[in-house]
Amino acid sequence: SFTMNMYLFVYDLMQFCGHSWIFTNMIIRFMTFGKDSLADTFHSIGLVMRLCQLLSVLEILHILIGIDKSRLLPRFLQMTERIIVLFVVINSQEEVQGKYVVCVLFFLWNILDVVRYTYNMLARMGLYYLPLTWLNFSLCIPFYPLSVLAEGFAICVSLPYFESFGTYSIKLPFPFTFSIYFPYVLKMYLLVLFAGMCFIIQNLFSERMAHLGTGNIKNKRS
């Protein structure tokens, strides 16, 4: 309906503004302060990044109620991995926040999202530009695996701090005889992360074929 379409347009616009602000801020800070800006990335833009990622949870609701025709599982996996890395790994360990990998990760996430939300906004209005369509369904093919590698590296960097501080590790009292050692949980999650990456990459290729196949290109040109 028109109302739902306008709601989705406003949602995409909000996400576009947030991610554009983050991306522009990162570029300006790097051009102004050079390498010194990399270590301060999280403290400068972390709040807006967290707000944007929390807002992205609505996309799962959009799919569930049927106003967004995207596939649920790939979108859920992509959203979950960002939430875990951003809120559980980076946000909980101040020592990790100053690592260069955080800047790299934020850059990869935002360049993908700026393109995606730009494409979505125009699509809500029935506007399809072939260069933007090609960029939206092609840029993610190399950039998404790179972002997963950066996420995995951020988790590996955080492991010594989780081991030293015991963050999220739980030792259950008597009569229970087992404990949850969080670094082991993160190591197991690394396997899930890279297994999910293979599934999502396959989905990205199928989406690219569906939108950029010869027949679809001709239709959009006409």
Side-chain angles (χ1 to χ4, degrees):
S1 67
F2 176 79
T3 302
M4 288 295 99
N5 203 48
M6 283 301 300
Y7 161 74
L8 291 174
F9 176 84
V10 172
Y11 168 81
D12 292 329
L13 177 62
M14 292 174 60
Q15 288 282 36
F16 169 78
C17 292
H19 288 288
S20 296
W21 181 87
I22 294 171
F23 187 75
T24 304
N25 188 285
M26 291 179 65
I27 297 299
I28 293 176
R29 284 176 53 80
F30 181 77
M31 294 177 63
T32 304
F33 303 107
K35 289 185 177 180
D36 294 337
S37 67
L38 302 182
D40 197 37
T41 297
F42 184 84
H43 298 287
S44 302
I45 63 176
L47 177 60
V48 180
M49 175 63 79
R50 281 173 282 179
L51 291 174
C52 287
Q53 295 307 318
L54 285 175
L55 190 62
S56 70
V57 177
L58 289 175
E59 296 179 25
I60 303 301
L61 179 62
H62 297 163
I63 298 173
L64 289 174
I65 64 178
I67 62 175
D68 188 340
K69 302 305 180 183
S70 302
R71 295 181 62 188
L72 176 61
L73 184 57
R75 190 71 200 110
F76 176 78
L77 291 176
Q78 287 178 291
M79 183 206 69
T80 302
E81 67 188 36
R82 290 192 182 189
I83 294 293
I84 291 175
V85 171
L86 179 58
F87 287 92
V88 178
V89 175
I90 299 176
N91 190 62
S92 66
Q93 299 297 335
E94 188 174 353
E95 291 77 7
V96 178
Q97 296 169 9
K99 303 294 184 182
Y100 288 171
V101 67
V102 175
C103 181
V104 173
L105 187 58
F106 283 8
F107 176 83
L108 293 172
W109 283 353
N110 280 279
I111 194 171
L112 287 173
D113 284 338
V114 167
V115 173
R116 182 164 69 94
Y117 289 115
T118 302
Y119 172 83
N120 287 346
M121 279 193 302
L122 295 178
R124 308 295 180 199
M125 299 185 292
L127 301 176
Y128 297 92
Y129 296 102
L130 185 57
L132 180 60
T133 302
W134 183 91
L135 191 64
N136 181 60
F137 293 101
S138 300
L139 190 66
C140 55
I141 302 297
F143 273 57
Y144 172 70
L146 289 176
S147 69
V148 173
L149 290 175
E151 290 167 9
F153 186 75
I155 292 174
C156 291
V157 168
S158 71
L159 287 175
Y161 302 107
F162 280 105
E163 292 172 354
S164 300
F165 302 136
T167 311
Y168 300 133
S169 294
I170 302 173
K171 187 174 182 179
L172 298 178
F174 184 83
F176 302 102
T177 58
F178 67 94
S179 59
I180 300 175
Y181 187 55
F182 196 69
Y184 288 163
V185 176
L186 287 179
K187 291 176 182 178
M188 292 176 60
Y189 176 70
L190 281 174
L191 300 177
V192 177
L193 180 65
F194 287 105
M197 179 188 70
C198 297
F199 170 76
I200 293 175
I201 289 176
Q202 183 180 9
N203 182 72
L204 292 175
F205 273 107
S206 64
E207 284 189 345
R208 187 179 189 278
M209 180 60 65
H211 289 82
L212 296 178
T214 304
N216 289 317
I217 292 177
K218 288 180 179 179
N219 291 334
K220 287 176 181 178
R221 281 177 175 173
S222 61

